[in-house]
Amino acid sequence: MKPRKHLLGVAIAAFATMLSVSPMTLARETDKKSPPRNMVFILVDDLRFDGMGFLQSELQTPNIDQLAKGGAYFPNAVVTSALCSPSRATILTGQTARTHGVIDNNNSSEEGLTFFPRYLQQAGYQTALIGKWHMGAETDEPRPGFDKWVSFKGQGNYFPTDFLSPAAMKSGVVHTLNVDGKLVPQKGYITDELTDYAMNWLEKERDTSKPFFLYLSHKAVHNFPKPPERYKGQYKNATFKLPDSAADTPENKIGKPMWVQNQRNSWHGLDFFYHSNVKMTDYLKDYYATLSPVDDSVGRIMEYLRKNNLEKNTMVVFYSDNGYLIGDHGLIDKRNAYEGSIKVPLVVYAPGLIPAGVTNPVRVRNLDIAPTLLDVAGIEAPPQFEGQSVLEVASGRLPVGDWKVPDFVYEYYWEWTYPMTPTTFAIQRDQMKYIQYQGVWDIEELYDLESDPREMHNLIDEPRYLETKTALRKALFEQMANADGKHVVPFTERYSRGAVRRHREGPGAAPFPDQWLVEPNRLDRFNDQLADTPAKLKAEQEGRIYFPDADDTRSQR
């Protein structure tokens, strides 16, 4: 990793001194007397948290790197659901999946939802959505809140004839884009074409007397990544290293749930991923080559802003809808609560508002994007928002040490299409992360991310963490209530068996944990149904029967 500045306060002070103003003066840039700030929100798909050149020297992303050099990088950006549709719905509504109801990629409803660009419109902004929507019903029709609309159904396609039959291609059929309610043929490579539409809107279509908000949502680098001709072979000589936990060793299996071990040999496992024989080290060559056109797109937008004297009054945000596992714990893709899945790249560039060249350690959730962007525009967040604006701490008006960091709560709901990942709930408080699973016979997980950032040592049964475990269990349950105060597990309609196949010659099913294997008629056989307490732990360590206090009603559940 290339060195960056880590002392936010020092960087802000230096920046302010250079301009002969105080840090507080910088923070007041959003005063109502200032013209409204334009905003460009660039969303990529499935980009790993460290998938940028200034973090991996092998990668060539000069424009994204320049964005980070002139702005702030947030290494602790996360998503509350690591899946396309739920995450995008959270970004657009400022609500959690349990509240907005878009819980998977199948067919959740958008009924009753308000997307935050609507509030920008009401404040006088011109707004545009260009690219992937992929939320709710699989339709590309324009949504409320956008003056300009260019999108496509579902995941979209890298090239106009991807996945079409030979007969269809012979007859001239190509994929289409929905442009302001009208279907038009996709002409070329999707990243370049979306950028062309974005540039045309910026240069020719928008009302230049109004501030603008551009939501540029790329398909890249979603599977199966395909780079354009100019970037084919870009990384043919590169060697991308997989995480140490990718190795199928007894040491890497210690403390891991059975479902994690079983998933190695599945659609979302390293040994049989996407039911192919592709190696992750080869996959990453196309994955990162597909990012290069996105980097080109960032460069085109920034060049336009500079040439038209808009750079100093425009915020540019570079973000991903979820992370991507490249073999972490034997897994690929996303969905689970591990760091490679929930952490995402976040770079924010806003001259005069966001200090330049800074690494800001504050945790930013996708839940916080909508309230933050409205805050930049000087708009009060509506009451249904569940996130909070991070503008105060991102701008330096409030030191990071004084920022009250909320618990990070994660939710993922089992999908019949990909049944290898169970319903997952997690909570992170400070550096402790607790994970539990719903509807599956398996263990919980607890990690100290400060001493174990790769999540290799499950502390769930460590006696010294009993109090931490019980406190986080309780906090997770309380915070997982939806907007109606209910604790429910939603699901969508099933219409097939899902991606259930396993490699015939791959690893078999994982064994149950050894501590679960016991002889019959044990006197302590009821203990596992009683609440975890220090008294219970002491009794188990001493090998005697545990009798909970009769007044302890919780322990008798």
Side-chain angles (χ1 to χ4, degrees), residues 388-403:
Q388 62 182 7
S389 171
V390 297
L391 180 60
E392 193 174 24
V393 67
S395 66
R397 133 187 355 165
L398 182 71
V400 172
D402 294 342
W403 181 250

Side-chain angles (χ1 to χ4, degrees), residues 32 62 68 76 85 109 127 171 253 257 302 305 334 433 462 471 474:
K32 292 183 184 293
N76 292 313
S85 295
S109 173
T127 63
S171 64
K253 295 177 181 178
M302 296 306 296
L305 295 178
K334 59 264 187 181
K433 182 199 286 187
E462 291 284 338
K474 180 178 176 60

Side-chain angles (χ1 to χ4, degrees), residues 3 156 184 537 544:
V184 301
L537 176 62
R544 58 182 175 80

Side-chain angles (χ1 to χ4, degrees), residues 498-548:
V500 297
R501 300 180 183 184
R502 291 171 65 83
H503 193 301
R504 187 180 300 277
E505 299 177 358
F512 281 95
D514 184 68
Q515 64 267 33
W516 289 13
L517 305 178
V518 298
E519 67 278 5
N521 301 321
R522 286 175 59 114
L523 295 178
D524 63 355
R525 63 185 183 272
F526 296 109
N527 281 13
D528 292 338
Q529 302 169 50
L530 304 173
D532 287 332
T533 65
K536 172 184 165 182
L537 176 62
K538 188 170 187 282
E540 291 179 338
Q541 290 174 330
E542 296 174 354
R544 58 182 175 80
I545 301 174
Y546 168 57
F547 295 100

Side-chain angles (χ1 to χ4, degrees), residues 7 82 109 122 125 238 261 266 294 296 321 365 386 389 547:
L7 299 177
S109 173
Q122 293 170 352
Y125 275 75
Q261 299 178 54
S266 78
V294 175
D296 291 343
D321 61 350
R365 306 164 295 178
E386 297 174 79
S389 171
F547 295 100

Side-chain angles (χ1 to χ4, degrees), residues 35-40 125 206 208 210-214 305 309-316 349-350 376:
R37 185 174 284 269
N38 305 308
M39 290 178 279
V40 178
Y125 275 75
R206 67 182 181 88
T208 57
K210 297 181 178 180
F212 65 83
F213 171 73
L214 170 62
L305 295 178
N309 297 317
L310 294 169
E311 185 179 18
K312 293 183 179 180
N313 193 42
T314 302
M315 170 181 276
V316 180
Y349 178 91
V376 171

